Amino acid sequence: MKALVTGASSGIGRDMARYLSSLGYDLVIVARRENLLEELKKDLKTNVEIEVLDVSKEENCKELFEKHKDIDLLINNAGFGLFGEFTEIDLDKEISLIDTNIKATHILTKLYAKSMKEKNKGKILNVASIAGFMTGPLMSAYYASKNYVVELSSGINEELKKAKSNVRISILCPGPVDTNFNNVAGVRFSVKSLSSEYVAKYAIDKTLKGKEIIIPGIGIKILYGLNKLSPRFISTELAYHTQKSKKK
């Protein structure tokens, strides 16, 4: 068994790699920071290959697939957020977010889903967020990117089911997690964050069982249910005030 994990140098991606190794998976770990990947490799018990690259670059995603086609589990975890007024956030940073959160996930999902479908085996775990079901003023680009991941993954999964394929796509949709995401995005959360170790293990276990929508934590499950029942204008207004309270 072999898994490929993007964004593996820290946070959820790192802890997913650790847990997968404990389950006996050989690994391809991908990130931009070589020193952190080397440190992680030392902790892992199985065979590990390191790929130091930026998945926001289209050619890197294609080269990654060509080099590592024989993968049983793909985890698209690389991503980040930005906080602030849409009219004030630097455009280049937003384009980088789109290239990482959307474009890289789309390309790798496309390439590996096609390959897996031909072999009639394999799983893909796309890391989204509970934000993927919501509108997110003050983090509009991030929320929109995770909406894209959720809807893309669900659509493909339905196509695979209709084709009677054994390939499945799962979508991880956590709330706040104790990672470096908050520092990069420039936010703080008023609610208690789940540990990345817990979220990583929960997500992998559910993915291996074939679950599509994976939401760790009872509080976030309740929020997900309430959001589905709330009129859009109310949920958007609440999201704005919630987002505003996160500002550091």
Side-chain angles (χ1 to χ4, degrees):
M1 299 180 295
K2 192 171 187 179
L4 187 152
V5 185
T6 70
S9 60
S10 63
I12 296 173
R14 174 198 61 201
D15 291 322
M16 283 180 172
R18 286 173 173 166
Y19 184 55
L20 284 166
S21 182
S22 75
L23 295 178
Y25 277 80
D26 292 332
L27 290 159
V28 180
I29 51 176
V30 183
R32 293 177 299 173
R33 294 175 288 183
E34 183 174 9
N35 62 317
L36 295 182
L37 291 177
E38 291 288 356
E39 289 178 15
L40 174 60
K41 183 177 180 179
K42 294 175 184 177
D43 293 338
L44 304 180
K45 304 173 183 178
T46 49
N47 294 324
V48 179
E49 296 173 79
I50 288 176
E51 291 291 346
V52 182
L53 56 84
D54 183 353
V55 294
S56 71
K57 309 298 182 185
E58 179 178 344
E59 61 273 17
N60 288 348
C61 292
K62 292 178 178 178
E63 288 174 8
L64 183 64
F65 170 73
E66 289 299 326
K67 188 173 180 181
H68 302 283
K69 287 185 177 180
D70 190 19
I71 294 296
D72 300 292
L73 172 61
L74 165 68
I75 300 179
N76 283 309
N77 171 68
F80 66 96
L82 294 169
F83 179 88
E85 296 278 352
F86 179 76
T87 54
E88 302 297 327
I89 295 176
D90 181 76
L91 178 59
D92 289 339
K93 290 182 179 179
E94 287 183 313
I95 297 300
S96 180
L97 180 150
I98 291 167
D99 286 344
T100 304
N101 295 13
I102 295 178
K103 193 173 180 180
T105 298
H106 186 113
I107 293 171
L108 290 172
T109 299
K110 176 86 168 183
L111 296 174
Y112 279 101
K114 183 177 181 180
S115 174
M116 289 175 177
K117 186 179 179 183
E118 290 170 353
K119 295 181 288 187
N120 199 28
K121 65 175 184 176
K123 295 184 185 299
I124 297 173
L125 172 58
N126 286 334
V127 177
S129 165
I130 197 64
F133 303 103
M134 302 174 182
T135 301
L138 300 180
M139 288 187 77
S140 296
Y142 173 75
Y143 272 58
S145 74
K146 295 306 181 180
N147 271 262
Y148 184 94
V149 172
V150 169
E151 297 301 334
L152 177 74
S153 303
S154 292
I156 300 167
N157 212 25
E158 187 63 21
E159 292 176 13
L160 292 168
K161 290 176 185 177
K162 289 292 189 288
K164 308 296 184 185
S165 173
N166 289 322
V167 180
R168 286 293 177 267
I169 299 182
S170 296
I171 315 157
L172 174 59
C173 302
V177 182
D178 186 15
T179 68
N180 195 45
F181 174 92
N182 302 358
N183 294 327
V184 174
V187 298
R188 62 184 177 189
F189 292 99
S190 56
V191 298
K192 183 176 175 59
S193 298
L194 296 174
S195 73
S196 62
E197 293 92 344
Y198 169 79
V199 173
K201 183 179 185 300
Y202 185 88
I204 296 297
D205 288 344
K206 294 296 184 182
T207 297
L208 296 179
K209 291 178 180 178
K211 186 169 180 60
E212 181 173 328
I213 303 295
I214 302 171
I215 304 175
I218 186 64
I220 300 302
K221 286 186 174 72
I222 293 171
L223 176 61
Y224 170 67
L226 292 174
N227 182 70
K228 290 175 67 177
L229 297 173
S230 300
R232 186 177 179 84
F233 77 93
I234 291 178
S235 61
T236 301
E237 180 72 15
L238 289 173
Y240 175 80
H241 290 289
T242 300
Q243 294 296 101
K244 194 172 182 180
S245 69
K246 295 177 183 178
K247 186 174 181 180
K248 283 190 172 184

